[in-house]
Amino acid sequence: MTDKTSDLPQPAAVQRPSRFKELWEADLVYNLRRSPVALVSLIVTLILILAAVLAPLIAPTNPFDPASLNLMNGFSPPGVPNAFTGETFLMGTDDQGRDVFSTILYGMRISLFVGVSAVIFAMVLGITLGLIAGYVGGWIETIIMRIADVQLTFPSILVAMLITGVAKGFTPPAYRDEVAIFVLILAIGLSDWVQFARVVRGATLVEKNKEYVQAARLIGRSGGGIMLRHILPNVLSPVLVIATISLALAIIAEATLSFLGVGAPPTQPSLGTLIRIGQGFLFSGEWWILFFPAVTLLGLALAVNLLGDWLRDALNPRLR
Amino acid sequence: MLAYIIRRVFQSLLVLLVVGLVAFSLFRYVGDPIDSLLGQERTIADIDRVRESLGLNDPFVVQYYNFLANAVQGDFGISYRQSRPVAEIIAERAPATLELAAVSALFAIGLGIALGVFTAIRRRGIAANVIMSASLIGVSLPTFLIGILLIYVFSVELDWLPSFGRGQVTDLGWWTTGLLTASGREAIILPAITLGLYQMTLIMRLVRSEMLEVLRQDYIRFARARGLRERAINFRHALKNTLVPVITVTGLQLGAIIAFAIITETVFQWPGVGLLFINAIQFVDIPVMAAYLMLISVMFVGINLIVDLLYFAVDPRLRIEGRNT
């Protein structure tokens, strides 16, 4: 017993950790250890993110380099050597002889890039408008929240589609494929800011009447300073939860738009584009072109979603 | 109450005006209509004449007014891709979408309420728990994957149902229906399930939780004490009182069904308005996009208004609150 305790760091020697760090170590990690579902989804999410980031290193071939493709490899079933070339592909190849495993890794990169960027965009926009609406109030608040209410009556996927259509209309045809990824980020971000704005506004309304805000106002801090340095850190934990769940929704929204053919262009296929391509081979029996991207998308969305659910329960003390 | 209604109607009109503005600027500023009307050989006098005859020299507000006036009369211009009046194309496509939406709404409401009541009454039964867990998976699957999965199982593997199109369609003059022929009825099954599945699980979960809430009330216990039959209690007393929130949610979901019809129609190549809209986005067919934008907004704003007013009619408590404010 004495041996074990001597291994542990001595409390007196360690400086007292910051409040944030203490909370992190005591609560969240403990909670994570107790929830196997959350732990598994965290590991799956991390592996998928890592695989996407390191795609150029992991992928056996670069699916967008025409030199590495061999048409003879087309339609190789997964794990079976090709009849002509004798090469074996883990998840098979598509009609052009592209390795499905590699296209999935590269596709996931685009899906995650669009998803994360869209959520960050929605978060920044939503937090800014929510803080202003909650702190400043008056007619500015009325306008912001009215817009939010109106937008909320439309399903967000429809809003994203409409924005994609409008943005496509305004860009000259020659640039459409180049800007497609950014149009996606804009469309999904703009369709998703309302959640953030509403939550931040609600929390700001509560915080702004507390004593520390009054104290900050008394010592003469500007409105912007109070919002950013005093209120914002105190309204962030619900934002974190919404951001995680939004990420899952954004990934699915991106996949849906790309599947419909109005998202990522064929030159930069995301998981949705791959599923769209794979659907064409459903009847001719090449199931792997569709199956593996679909399973990857499901796994990614489900893992992030479960992580968000767990985070919501863990950060909400009332539920415990 | 009257003030509330007027305020809501006024708000709805404002929203429609803003959407109209977006549709109009799209219509007016994307591409140059002169380019598409006059060829390469044109004089400045020609251009001026056409500009004047199209009203392009009018002030912005006048042009916007004309656009709205035309739209209200059902004139949305001519499709760039099909060179036919947009109103005609939409009128031709609308029955397919509305039929699909109606069938999937019926599926969602019917099966949703039935399963909701069942899972509430047999709360601890194995079947109820299986249904509840399955519904969780159903909610997290993206619509287009559900469609593909159904196609794979019922069209590719089992070869029971068609995977695309509307089947044999009967022309009734102003309306085309696929419901009168066997192939049309077969064709609508998979799309309707795909479209209605999410709403079905939503209604089921809502009915279940409302039923559990109501079944705990005193008047249910009293009804039991009076010796009423279990069926009478469940359906006449409990289910009836759960219906108010179900009506609102169903009403609001009607809009979502129309929106998600875009996805379903693409998966099943269903020749409806949603597929038309997706193709319009792909090929930047501005008049079709503008018209769809206007139509869908009118529908959404209308549904929201009706649901809000219906709430007033159904729930007397709101009316008293409305009088005080």
Side-chain angles (χ1 to χ4, degrees):
Chain A
M1 205 49 208
T2 43
D3 283 329
K4 270 194 174 172
T5 44
S6 63
D7 285 341
L8 294 170
Q10 296 302 304
V14 186
Q15 217 189 348
R16 195 176 176 278
S18 68
R19 243 184 88 198
F20 176 74
K21 203 175 167 194
E22 198 177 47
L23 186 100
W24 180 263
E25 288 182 344
D27 262 20
L28 227 45
V29 177
Y30 172 72
N31 229 300
L32 192 61
R33 265 180 287 163
R34 280 202 334 174
S35 162
V37 176
L39 203 59
V40 169
S41 32
L42 182 69
I43 292 171
V44 170
T45 311
L46 287 180
I47 289 176
L48 288 177
I49 290 176
L50 209 67
V53 172
L54 300 177
L57 298 176
I58 304 172
T61 58
N62 180 355
F64 305 112
D65 175 16
S68 76
L69 299 181
N70 183 353
L71 270 182
M72 298 293 276
N73 279 331
F75 295 130
S76 310
V80 179
N82 185 279
F84 302 106
T85 59
E87 286 182 68
T88 309
F89 298 93
L90 182 64
M91 293 181 184
T93 58
D94 65 4
D95 53 335
Q96 320 261 348
R98 269 193 299 242
D99 175 30
V100 172
F101 180 54
S102 307
T103 53
I104 287 178
L105 287 177
Y106 279 87
M108 208 158 58
R109 249 164 111 90
I110 291 165
S111 289
L112 275 170
F113 174 71
V114 171
V116 171
S117 313
V119 169
I120 290 175
F121 176 53
M123 200 159 76
V124 171
L125 188 69
I127 288 177
T128 314
L129 291 178
L131 272 178
I132 292 174
Y135 189 75
V136 180
W139 60 271
I140 297 180
E141 182 186 15
T142 314
I143 290 181
I144 293 175
M145 295 330 282
R146 257 293 136 242
I147 296 175
D149 283 349
V150 169
Q151 195 179 324
L152 215 59
T153 57
F154 294 86
S156 58
I157 190 77
L158 184 68
V159 176
M161 271 181 216
L162 292 175
I163 295 171
T164 316
V166 173
K168 257 193 159 176
F170 280 112
T171 40
Y175 298 106
R176 265 177 210 150
D177 269 8
E178 274 175 49
V179 297
I181 296 288
F182 298 99
V183 167
L184 266 179
I185 294 171
L186 183 83
I188 297 173
L190 279 180
S191 70
D192 202 37
W193 66 275
V194 177
Q195 297 291 336
F196 292 99
R198 284 170 76 102
V199 165
V200 169
R201 172 179 164 268
T204 307
L205 284 178
V206 175
E207 295 293 321
K208 85 170 178 188
N209 291 324
K210 288 194 176 164
E211 280 169 356
Y212 72 91
V213 176
Q214 286 171 359
R217 212 178 290 161
L218 270 179
I219 60 170
R221 290 213 69 154
S222 66
I226 295 175
M227 278 190 251
L228 277 182
R229 302 296 299 275
H230 297 270
I231 296 179
L232 182 59
N234 286 299
V235 300
L236 270 185
S237 72
V239 168
L240 193 65
V241 174
I242 299 177
T244 322
I245 295 173
S246 282
L247 179 61
L249 293 177
I251 289 171
I252 289 187
E254 187 278 329
T256 304
L257 290 177
S258 296
F259 174 78
L260 296 178
V262 294
T267 48
Q268 288 166 291
S270 72
L271 289 177
T273 324
L274 294 178
I275 295 172
R276 175 188 172 81
I277 296 170
Q279 199 204 359
F281 302 107
L282 193 59
F283 274 95
S284 47
E286 285 88 15
W287 53 271
W288 58 88
I289 307 176
L290 171 73
F291 177 75
F292 291 113
V295 167
T296 314
L297 173 71
L298 266 188
L300 185 61
L302 202 65
V304 176
N305 216 339
L306 287 172
L307 209 58
D309 275 355
W310 162 78
L311 205 60
R312 183 184 53 204
D313 296 347
L315 286 179
N316 191 348
R318 260 173 301 169
L319 289 178
R320 255 181 282 160
Chain B
M1 167 101 186
L2 192 67
Y4 174 83
I5 293 178
I6 292 173
R7 203 164 60 218
R8 280 297 281 113
V9 171
F10 183 73
Q11 272 171 16
S12 309
L13 285 178
L14 199 71
V15 171
L16 288 182
L17 277 180
V18 173
V19 173
L21 194 66
V22 173
F24 169 68
S25 16
L26 198 66
F27 201 69
R28 174 68 186 79
Y29 295 106
V30 176
D32 191 351
I34 303 288
D35 270 344
S36 46
L37 281 172
L38 297 174
Q40 286 290 318
E41 289 172 23
R42 57 191 181 192
T43 60
I44 294 182
D46 276 344
I47 294 175
D48 279 346
R49 192 171 42 79
V50 174
R51 285 190 82 85
E52 194 57 47
S53 71
L54 286 178
L56 294 177
N57 290 332
D58 291 343
F60 181 83
V61 181
V62 174
Q63 289 192 33
Y64 179 38
Y65 173 79
N66 287 335
F67 173 80
L68 283 186
N70 283 338
V72 168
Q73 291 165 24
D75 180 5
F76 292 102
I78 294 180
S79 159
Y80 291 169
R81 217 159 75 88
Q82 306 194 24
S83 311
R84 285 164 55 208
V86 174
E88 197 182 301
I89 302 176
I90 288 186
E92 187 184 293
R93 295 268 196 138
T97 298
L98 290 177
E99 223 167 74
L100 177 62
V103 173
S104 43
L106 274 181
F107 161 74
I109 296 170
L111 201 60
I113 291 180
L115 286 180
V117 171
F118 176 78
T119 48
I121 296 173
R122 303 269 163 80
R123 190 149 55 104
R124 295 183 212 289
I126 299 168
N129 278 316
V130 170
I131 293 171
M132 287 305 286
S133 321
S135 78
L136 259 186
I137 300 170
V139 168
S140 52
L141 271 173
T143 314
F144 66 97
L145 280 185
I146 295 175
I148 293 177
L149 192 71
L150 288 178
I151 289 181
Y152 182 71
V153 173
F154 292 103
S155 302
V156 180
E157 287 297 316
L158 298 173
D159 200 16
W160 285 354
L161 297 166
S163 66
F164 68 92
R166 262 185 106 184
Q168 186 81 37
V169 176
T170 321
D171 199 343
L172 301 178
W174 50 275
W175 186 272
T176 55
T177 179
L179 295 179
L180 294 179
T181 60
S183 72
R185 279 193 296 267
E186 271 177 12
I188 207 169
I189 294 175
L190 291 185
I193 292 178
T194 309
L195 186 53
L197 196 64
Y198 181 80
Q199 274 70 29
M200 195 274 278
T201 46
L202 202 71
I203 292 173
M204 178 191 110
R205 298 182 84 88
L206 185 73
V207 169
R208 177 180 178 271
S209 65
E210 288 287 327
M211 277 288 276
L212 289 178
E213 190 74 25
V214 170
L215 285 175
R216 234 177 281 149
Q217 302 281 327
D218 280 344
Y219 68 85
I220 297 292
R221 200 175 301 160
F222 183 64
R224 278 221 177 90
R226 273 161 64 206
L228 292 183
R229 256 192 247 124
E230 198 65 20
R231 190 194 294 167
I233 295 173
N234 284 334
F235 290 95
R236 203 171 308 154
H237 294 256
L239 182 61
K240 234 182 183 177
N241 280 294
T242 64
L243 284 184
V244 177
V246 173
I247 290 172
T248 4
V249 169
T250 315
L252 292 175
Q253 286 300 316
L254 228 61
I257 283 190
I258 303 270
F260 280 100
I262 299 174
I263 301 167
T264 312
E265 285 178 11
T266 311
V267 176
F268 291 94
Q269 290 298 307
W270 187 262
V273 187
L275 192 59
L276 180 75
F277 174 64
I278 274 297
N279 289 334
I281 292 185
Q282 274 167 357
F283 297 101
V284 198
D285 193 344
I286 308 286
V288 175
M289 265 163 65
Y292 185 84
L293 188 63
M294 299 283 287
L295 275 185
I296 202 98
S297 325
V298 169
M299 214 172 303
F300 267 87
V301 169
I303 289 172
N304 268 288
L305 189 65
I306 291 171
V307 167
D308 270 13
L309 297 182
L310 213 64
Y311 225 34
F312 253 92
V314 173
D315 194 340
R317 281 168 298 182
L318 276 175
R319 257 173 281 169
I320 294 165
E321 266 172 44
R323 208 171 295 156
N324 292 338
T325 49

